[in-house]
């Protein structure tokens, strides 16, 4: 997946939290331990169509406009639903609002979720018990509810990024940024890596400290 697929050069999609957790925080709860709280805490919300957009709200009450109907946000924030919408729409090749089970897995991968075959089958048996194999955006959001999507804390992110500071300078330059993004499944070009650095480089040093980096990530979600 490329950051540019999100429509613009953005600072580290929410998927980065899942991948960092999987790579560096294996002691945290995983989906295999059972359904996440969001998979069980559903809440119907009001929504309506305005021409070709469905207007609804995330768990914090922020408005969101979608290409598909969504009556249950499954306790996800608007920023999370936007990323789910992006990934689902990439898989909705025919534009009919339906994706196959195979595309569900591809959409999950784009969002940083890579369940084992056993985990994926368990979740699909819950969401699609009759094995219909055709899934709406609402069903996809419910599937996402079975994964731990909570963001890592600032300290946890700093500890994770420290691993990629190869020269132990206390900051990340464009080369280290490119390596970091590649390892997390978001390959960027050297130019894109420089752009990511410059967006958070307040003093114009060409590098970003751990604190600046993490602050930028957290403030954009």
């Amino acid at each position: 997946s490329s950051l540019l697929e999100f429509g613009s050069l953005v600072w580290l999609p929410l998927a980065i939290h899942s991948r960092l957790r999987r790579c560096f925080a294996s002691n945290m709860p995983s989906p295999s331990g059972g359904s996440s709280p969001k998979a069980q805490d559903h809440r119907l919300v009001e929504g309506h169509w305005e021409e070709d957009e469905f207007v609804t709200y995330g768990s914090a009450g922020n408005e969101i406009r979608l290409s598909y109907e969504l009556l249950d946000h499954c306790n996800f924030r608007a920023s999370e639903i936007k990323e789910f919408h992006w990934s689902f729409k990439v898989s909705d090749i025919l534009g009919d609002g339906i994706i196959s089970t195979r595309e569900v897995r591809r959409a999950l991968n784009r969002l940083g979720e890579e369940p084992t075959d056993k985990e994926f089958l368990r979740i699909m048996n819950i969401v699609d018990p009759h094995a219909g194999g055709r899934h709406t955006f609402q069903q996809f959001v419910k599937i996402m509810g079975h994964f731990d999507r909570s963001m890592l804390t600032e300290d946890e992110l700093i500890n994770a990024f420290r691993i990629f500071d190869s020269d132990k300078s206390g900051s990340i330059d464009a080369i280290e940024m490119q390596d970091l993004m590649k390892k997390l499944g978001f390959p960027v070009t050297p130019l894109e890596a420089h752009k990511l650095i410059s967006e958070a480089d307040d003093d114009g040093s060409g590098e970003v400290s751990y604190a600046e980096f993490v602050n930028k990530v957290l403030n954009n979600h």
Side-chain angles (χ1 to χ4, degrees):
S1 300
S2 168
L3 293 182
L4 296 181
E5 290 181 49
F6 283 81
S8 63
L9 189 64
V10 297
W11 257 79
L12 305 186
L14 291 170
I16 196 173
H17 295 275
S18 296
R19 290 178 178 172
L20 281 171
R21 177 179 294 109
R22 186 165 57 250
C23 292
F24 308 115
S26 58
N27 60 320
M28 298 181 69
S30 66
S32 60
S35 299
S36 72
K38 289 184 178 180
Q40 303 167 3
D41 184 17
H42 293 189
R43 174 187 172 188
L44 295 180
V45 294
E46 293 184 4
H48 62 278
W49 285 98
E50 288 187 5
E51 297 184 352
D52 59 347
E53 291 184 320
F54 189 77
V55 183
T56 185
Y57 304 89
S59 61
N62 295 324
E63 182 181 286
I64 182 172
R65 292 174 176 265
L66 307 167
S67 303
Y68 313 102
E69 184 175 87
L70 182 70
L71 298 178
D72 182 357
H73 56 53
C74 299
N75 208 30
F76 284 114
R77 302 184 305 277
S79 59
E80 294 175 296
I81 295 172
K82 286 179 182 178
E83 289 205 353
F84 302 165
H85 179 266
W86 161 77
S87 189
F88 184 92
K89 197 165 187 177
V90 172
S91 286
D92 183 15
I93 300 171
L94 297 178
D96 60 357
I98 300 292
I99 66 175
S100 66
T101 300
R102 176 178 294 182
E103 284 298 329
V104 165
R105 191 151 196 173
R106 289 174 178 167
L108 289 175
N109 292 163
R110 289 188 203 101
L111 295 167
E113 301 298 350
E114 298 174 1
T116 64
D117 291 343
K118 182 178 179 180
E119 291 169 345
F120 183 67
L121 181 60
R122 176 183 62 80
I123 294 170
M124 296 310 298
N125 283 340
I126 294 173
V127 178
D128 184 24
H130 301 297
R134 291 168 52 83
H135 310 284
T136 64
F137 180 62
Q138 178 67 80
Q139 286 178 310
F140 183 67
V141 172
K142 289 182 178 180
I143 290 169
M144 292 304 302
H146 288 266
F147 295 90
D148 180 3
R149 300 291 292 182
S150 60
M151 292 192 295
L152 299 176
T153 66
E154 182 174 348
D155 286 342
E156 288 169 331
L157 283 170
I158 289 175
N159 289 334
F161 292 139
R162 184 175 289 125
I163 296 175
F164 294 94
D165 180 17
S166 57
D167 59 3
K168 308 304 178 186
S169 64
S171 60
I172 299 174
D173 60 22
I175 294 176
E176 291 168 325
M177 169 67 76
Q178 192 174 12
D179 184 52
L180 164 63
M181 299 307 292
K182 181 179 180 180
K183 286 184 168 69
L184 291 174
F186 294 101
V188 297
T189 66
L191 179 59
E192 291 170 347
H194 278 287
K195 286 183 178 179
L196 284 168
I197 290 293
S198 64
E199 288 180 17
D201 182 16
D202 295 330
D203 58 8
S205 65
E207 299 183 339
V208 176
S209 69
Y210 297 146
E212 288 175 324
F213 191 87
V214 173
N215 184 59
K216 185 72 173 179
V217 174
L218 297 181
N219 285 343
N220 273 268
H221 299 298

